[in-house]
Structure formats: C-alpha cells, structure tokens
Amino acid sequence: MRRPTPFCYVVLAGFIGSASLFAQSSQTAAPQAAQQPPLRPPTRADILRGEYGRYRANNDLLFYHLKVRVDPEKKAISGSNTIRFQMLKDDTRIQLDLFANLSVDRITFGTSELKYSRELNTVFVDFPDTLKAGRKYEIEFSYSGTPTESGRFGGFTFGKDASGKPWIYTACEGQGASSWWPNKDQWRDEPAEMKISIAIPSDLTDVSNGRFLGKTDLGDGFTRWDWHVQYPINNYSVSLNVGNYVHFEDRLRDLPLDFYVLPGNLEKAKAQFAQAKPMIEAYQHFFGEYPFRKDGYKLIEVPYTGMEHQSAVTYGNGFENGYGRRDWTGVGVSLKFDFIIIHESGHEWFGNAVSAADVSDMWIHEGWTTYLENLYVEHRFGYDDALKYVNGYKTKVQNRQPIITQRGIHRTPPQDMYFKGALFLHTLRSVVDDDPKWWKVLRDVFDEFKYRNILTEDMLRFFNAKLGRDLTPIFDQYLRRTDLPVLELAFNEKEHSVAYRWRADERNFNMPIRVGERGKWQTIQPTTDWQVMPLTLTKDTFEVATDLYFVNVVKQ
Ligand SMILES: [Zn+2]
C-alpha cells in the first residue's frame, strides 16, 4: 500500500493472525472489555455538522450541479454548485457547509447576490425575502481555493502516479464533502439527482459518479468531463478521480461495467476485476437488481485502499485477493476473493442505496456491508466457509462503546459497527431460525428502504412487523449497549438439571439459543430470569452454539 491508511474502516490496528482464535473455547466468557475513556466532548464544529437544525430541516434538496476546475499545477480548484431545493417551511435562511479554508466567491439567487455568514465550516445563506414552503428555489454557490489533504482517506489529494503524472482524487467520508465543495453536508437529505462537471488538463481522464455524458474541449488546454447521477447520492460519495487512466469495459447482461486503471496495471486489472461480475450476481441473488443500473458500475484504481463512491467504487488492493495480501479474517477464507471489490461494492446496496439518516447509525452501512461479505462467501463458496468467515470477525470486536452513538453530533461510530454489526445480523438469522424467512426479510428490508435515508428505529420497526415478534431488546442490547449478552448456566449434576438465564443490560432481554449437543441442538428460550431444564449431559459436554449466536457463556 502506498498509503497505509485503511479504506473506509475506522481503526484496523487490531489485525488478527491466528486461525485458532475461531476455535476458542465457546464455553468460557470472554474477558469483560476494558473501560474506554469517555469520548471527548463534541466541538461546536461537530454540532454544526451533525445537527439537523432549523436551517437544514426547513428545506429538501432536489438537485446539485457541481462544476469544478482542477488545476494540478497550482494545486487549486474553483467552481460552483447549483443547488436546487424545495422549502418545507417559510424561512429566510438556509444552512450549507464549506470548509473555512476555502473561499466563498459569491452566492447568487437569480440575478441578485445573497448575503451569508460563516461559522467554522458552516455557511448560513440569507435571503432578502421569505422563501415559501412548497416552492422550489435555486442558488449558485461559487467558491475556490486549495482543499487540504486530510483524514484517513486523503480528503482531497493532489498526488502523482509513479510515472510523475497527476493523480488527483477525493475520499472524504469522515471529514465531509464540504472539505472540497459546497453542499448541505449532513446525512439525512440527499438530492434526487446530480450532475458533476470536472474540468482538467486535456491529457488526463476524470471518472466521477453516474453515467458519463461526454467531454468537451474547452480550448485552453482543459477538457470538461460531464457525469449524470440519476439516483439520490450521499455527499461523501460524490467524487472525482483524475489520472492517466486507461479504460476497459464489460457487461453483465444490460448493466455496463467500466474499469479505469493506470496503463501498467491493465493486464492485472483485467484478470482481477473479473470478480466484479460474480460479486454483482451474488448480491443480486439476495437483494435483486443492482440498484444504480442507469448509472452503471465502475471500478477505478486509486493509491489508497478503496471507497464505496456510488456507482464509481475506488480500488487500491494491489490486484490481489485478501485484503492487503493478508488473510483478512484469519480463518482461511479471505484469500479466495478480493476483499476491496467485495466489501466496497457491497456498499452499493447498504450505504449507497439504503443509507443512514445520521452518522450515529452508520452500522446500517458498515455492519450490513460486512454481513454482505458473508452472504457473498455463502453464495460463492458455501455455508461452511461463510460460518467460518463470520466467526473470524469475533476477534476484531472490542465491546468498548455502543455501536450507535449520540444523534446530532458528527462523529464516526466505533469500529464495532463493522464486525459486531455483522455478527449481530448473523445472530438474528439464528434467532429467526428459518432460512427462507431470513432471506425474504433481508430482501424486504432492502426493497423497503432503498434510495431512502433511515434510522435504526425504522429498520427495527420493519423487522418486528415482518417477523411478527418484538426484537427491540435484542437490537438494543447489541447496538445501544456495550457488552454482549451473557448466557449464565448453573449446573446441578446431582439433580441432573441446569439453570439458565441471560445477563444483559436490557432488562427485558430474551433471545432463543441452541444448546446441548452439537448436531442435536435443543432451542431454549432464556430470559433474564432463571429457568431450569433437565440435564442429560455433563457440565463439560453441554455446549452452546456460539458459532451461530454472538454471545458470551458462563458455566458455574
Ligand atoms: Zn465499508
């Protein structure tokens, strides 16, 4: 990796190396997680970015047209965003965002220039007359400057490839899209469609999101590349990738697949990117048609590990299987596929099509997509591999903070949203204990929420309705509490009985679980109150199906 930064992962320091960890004794409780120091208090900037306040909630985005000229020599950008929105309430002000290090050149509304005030990375735009609820308005926000390279993925990077040609790219999920272009930088509201026009030196190629419309020679050594995004899109997904790319293409029935790599990697890419088709087919098997069909699917080489930019997934995994050439989950499955192609593209379904409405609920992107990897493994390589693979994630779980963080504060949730999130969904499958029903509910969740921005509450409500049971305590324990539920087993071998209950933070926690003898499991329905069952096995031979449920077990 030229850039040691992990792709969309938060912290991946705790890399696992031992396959034997999968086989760790299921009968002993994992040590309680060390107490995490309290999170730092939010800053004013975290609240300005995270809060869906009055001046955001008073309008609904309809359309963006982002026009940017990128000058590699000066390391500068300039351009504008046309922002079309519908007012939901009468008001005279809206909130937009643009990082403080970039200049606001002017904001116009028709022929008049609007007043604005800046606070940190926020721009409050004021209108001379009241904008009326229900009406549509359009403003043009012009800006310029040099965006700073920052964050885990680079933010906006003026780089060079090995041959010295410019290689300029964006990846700004953490710090925010307003680090390089003006927009309503939050998670709840997305424009229904978008145009992206990027002007760059004529010997380079720009790949952005959506369908390629064409390029126009501007006559001054620059060429403009125009793209049309025909679906709602997250701000952070909006991207440019400018480089000395070569292009090759393929099709999956009527879905165009477009690939962009540096010339020296063309042959390697043709071999490795063949994995895109079975990947899409696997996800289509579970969730139906690829959600951005009109925009097509693209894979674009970048010098960082990768990012799920909608319909324009970036790739930097060295054209090799595994993740960074490693057996990612340490259980002998990861090297069968290219982790970045499978994970980042999985976000087309969860993250890009189904999106969280607040960064607090980002597990809807990362927990689900990590679980999608597992679905891919099951579809391609079989159930046994999938079971191994998902259990391989256990060693990455920290249990130091709840997965869902406080609403309204811009802060990336802890890493557990990936692995614990996926293991939570794996556990839910065992709770449902009826695979056809489970596949159906997964498909229904996707169909219900695609192209929408939702909170965990929406998903929980849907699960409860579809399955006809109240999963609230299970969702809350796994997503809103730090510790795993603990199955306490108290053996009385003399009396041939075993008492059992859940120890959990959720007072009403109740979850069925399979226990007894492997292969002849018996499902019990523990609650947080003790119950007793007859014991035909011994304390030592009595097992719990901890490969099907992510729980701790204490025997006494
Ligand atoms: Zn991800």
Side-chain angles (χ1 to χ4, degrees):
M1 297 291 109
R2 261 161 282 187
R3 176 182 296 280
T5 322
F7 54 110
C8 63
Y9 276 94
V10 183
V11 189
L12 293 175
F15 214 80
I16 55 161
S18 167
S20 67
L21 287 166
F22 166 56
Q24 72 187 10
S25 165
S26 60
Q27 305 303 314
T28 51
Q32 287 298 304
Q35 281 299 305
Q36 181 96 337
L39 291 169
R40 66 168 173 78
T43 63
R44 173 75 178 143
D46 293 336
I47 291 171
L48 281 169
R49 257 298 291 294
E51 201 171 49
Y52 204 69
R54 169 179 166 183
Y55 301 116
R56 282 173 164 167
N58 66 8
N59 69 86
D60 177 37
L61 287 172
L62 300 173
F63 174 74
Y64 287 143
H65 186 179
L66 175 63
K67 290 145 275 184
V68 185
R69 185 180 173 98
V70 180
D71 190 330
E73 291 290 312
K74 294 183 183 149
K75 294 201 170 179
I77 62 173
S78 60
S80 69
N81 189 16
T82 306
I83 303 171
R84 199 177 301 152
F85 55 93
Q86 180 165 30
M87 288 305 282
L88 301 175
K89 286 192 172 149
D90 289 4
D91 219 330
T92 57
R93 165 176 271 204
I94 62 167
Q95 177 185 343
L96 299 172
D97 304 86
L98 182 70
F99 269 34
N101 64 304
L102 298 172
S103 305
V104 179
D105 294 338
R106 75 199 147 282
I107 303 171
T108 56
F109 177 43
T111 53
S112 58
E113 201 157 321
L114 294 172
K115 292 196 170 130
Y116 60 88
S117 54
R118 303 187 77 171
E119 182 183 358
L120 300 167
N121 298 326
T122 290
V123 183
F124 293 103
V125 182
D126 290 307
F127 295 82
D129 300 308
T130 302
L131 305 183
K132 294 289 186 190
R135 294 237 188 109
K136 294 173 183 169
Y137 300 91
E138 183 176 292
I139 61 171
E140 180 93 356
F141 190 133
S142 301
Y143 77 111
S144 58
T146 296
T148 41
E149 197 175 322
S150 69
R152 303 180 188 99
F153 336 119
F156 190 109
T157 304
F158 283 101
K160 282 195 166 32
D161 67 20
S163 71
K165 292 240 167 98
W167 204 2
I168 302 164
Y169 48 86
T170 60
C172 59
E173 183 178 21
Q175 60 272 57
S178 51
S179 61
W180 69 277
W181 60 284
N183 63 84
K184 182 176 173 180
D185 203 356
Q186 42 66 58
W187 282 40
R188 196 168 294 251
D189 190 10
E190 297 180 10
E193 62 172 321
M194 176 164 186
K195 283 191 176 155
I196 305 169
S197 299
I198 307 295
I200 50 171
S202 296
D203 59 337
L204 298 173
T205 294
D206 170 61
V207 191
S208 289
N209 318 77
R211 182 64 70 124
F212 180 52
L213 295 177
K215 55 181 180 173
T216 306
D217 190 331
L218 301 175
D220 59 354
F222 278 63
T223 294
R224 193 186 68 233
W225 296 68
D226 293 316
W227 299 85
H228 186 198
V229 179
Q230 301 166 83
Y231 301 87
I233 184 168
N234 298 328
N235 294 314
Y236 68 76
S237 226
V238 174
S239 57
L240 58 80
N241 299 281
V242 176
N244 180 36
Y245 287 121
V246 289
H247 169 228
F248 62 100
E249 61 193 322
D250 200 350
R251 292 188 91 77
L252 179 61
R253 286 179 285 282
D254 64 342
L255 176 67
L257 312 176
D258 289 276
F259 305 106
Y260 300 85
V261 296
L262 297 185
N265 292 327
L266 182 59
E267 292 313 311
K268 276 192 277 183
K270 281 184 174 170
Q272 192 73 359
F273 288 179
Q275 291 188 34
K277 271 191 196 175
M279 173 275 296
I280 293 171
E281 280 171 335
Y283 292 145
Q284 289 190 150
H285 167 80
F286 292 102
F287 300 108
E289 189 176 66
Y290 171 75
F292 306 107
R293 194 180 51 79
K294 287 185 283 178
D295 287 355
Y297 170 82
K298 297 179 275 302
L299 262 180
I300 305 141
E301 185 185 356
V302 288
Y304 62 92
T305 48
M307 187 67 203
E308 66 257 31
H309 299 142
Q310 184 170 306
S311 83
V313 174
T314 57
Y315 174 89
N317 200 31
F319 306 98
E320 294 198 45
N321 283 356
Y323 173 38
R325 297 179 184 160
R326 296 161 298 196
D327 178 358
W328 168 230
T329 56
V331 291
V333 179
S334 298
L335 293 173
K336 295 186 178 185
F337 61 93
D338 188 315
F339 175 78
I340 290 294
I341 295 176
I342 304 313
H343 177 91
E344 301 306 337
S345 305
H347 278 302
E348 296 279 47
W349 281 264
F350 285 86
N352 298 342
V354 178
S355 302
D358 191 299
V359 70
S360 59
D361 294 50
M362 192 173 165
W363 81 279
I364 291 172
H365 299 196
E366 300 300 353
W368 273 86
T369 298
T370 304
Y371 186 66
L372 260 61
E373 294 165 24
N374 194 55
L375 295 179
Y376 170 81
V377 170
E378 183 159 344
H379 187 69
R380 290 273 289 155
F381 308 114
Y383 177 77
D384 290 350
D385 271 0
L387 190 61
K388 256 197 244 175
Y389 186 79
V390 74
N391 278 282
Y393 276 140
K394 284 182 177 170
T395 54
K396 299 178 195 291
V397 175
Q398 298 178 326
N399 291 320
R400 288 182 185 158
Q401 287 156 9
I403 288 174
I404 297 177
T405 52
Q406 191 182 329
R407 295 261 156 82
I409 295 173
H410 185 76
R411 179 152 55 195
T412 302
Q415 170 187 301
D416 278 357
M417 68 176 160
Y418 293 84
F419 314 116
K420 191 175 173 181
L423 283 156
F424 162 61
L425 292 170
H426 173 64
T427 301
L428 267 192
R429 175 179 176 179
S430 303
V431 169
V432 171
D433 195 15
D434 178 340
D435 279 347
K437 196 190 253 190
W438 177 244
W439 304 137
K440 172 84 165 67
V441 80
L442 291 187
R443 174 68 189 263
D444 288 346
V445 165
F446 180 73
D447 285 341
E448 174 75 9
F449 295 121
K450 68 180 169 184
Y451 314 129
R452 289 174 58 189
N453 298 60
I454 60 162
L455 295 169
T456 303
E457 294 88 308
D458 301 310
M459 189 175 277
L460 170 61
R461 215 175 294 124
F462 188 77
F463 264 103
N464 284 347
K466 278 281 155 184
L467 296 172
R469 61 199 291 173
D470 185 11
L471 297 169
T472 310
I474 302 179
F475 268 67
D476 286 351
Q477 183 67 38
Y478 281 93
L479 302 174
R480 298 181 190 279
R481 301 286 192 164
T482 298
D483 292 326
L484 288 176
V486 179
L487 183 66
E488 293 187 310
L489 298 169
F491 290 87
N492 188 331
E493 289 183 339
K494 248 189 221 159
E495 289 185 6
H496 304 289
S497 70
V498 55
Y500 56 92
R501 70 169 179 186
W502 287 114
R503 191 169 75 220
D505 304 293
E506 288 298 320
R507 182 66 197 91
N508 297 323
F509 186 78
N510 67 90
M511 184 171 88
I513 189 163
R514 277 163 257 182
V515 298
E517 196 178 347
R518 187 163 289 275
K520 296 186 200 163
W521 293 123
Q522 165 184 5
T523 303
I524 55 172
Q525 310 278 344
T527 65
T528 50
D529 296 321
W530 285 111
Q531 300 175 65
V532 181
M533 63 187 277
L535 178 67
T536 52
L537 301 159
T538 64
K539 180 179 173 183
D540 289 338
T541 57
F542 187 94
E543 286 192 65
V544 179
T546 49
D547 53 350
L548 303 178
Y549 305 81
F550 189 35
V551 299
N552 282 324
V553 177
V554 173
K555 283 181 169 182
Q556 49 187 283

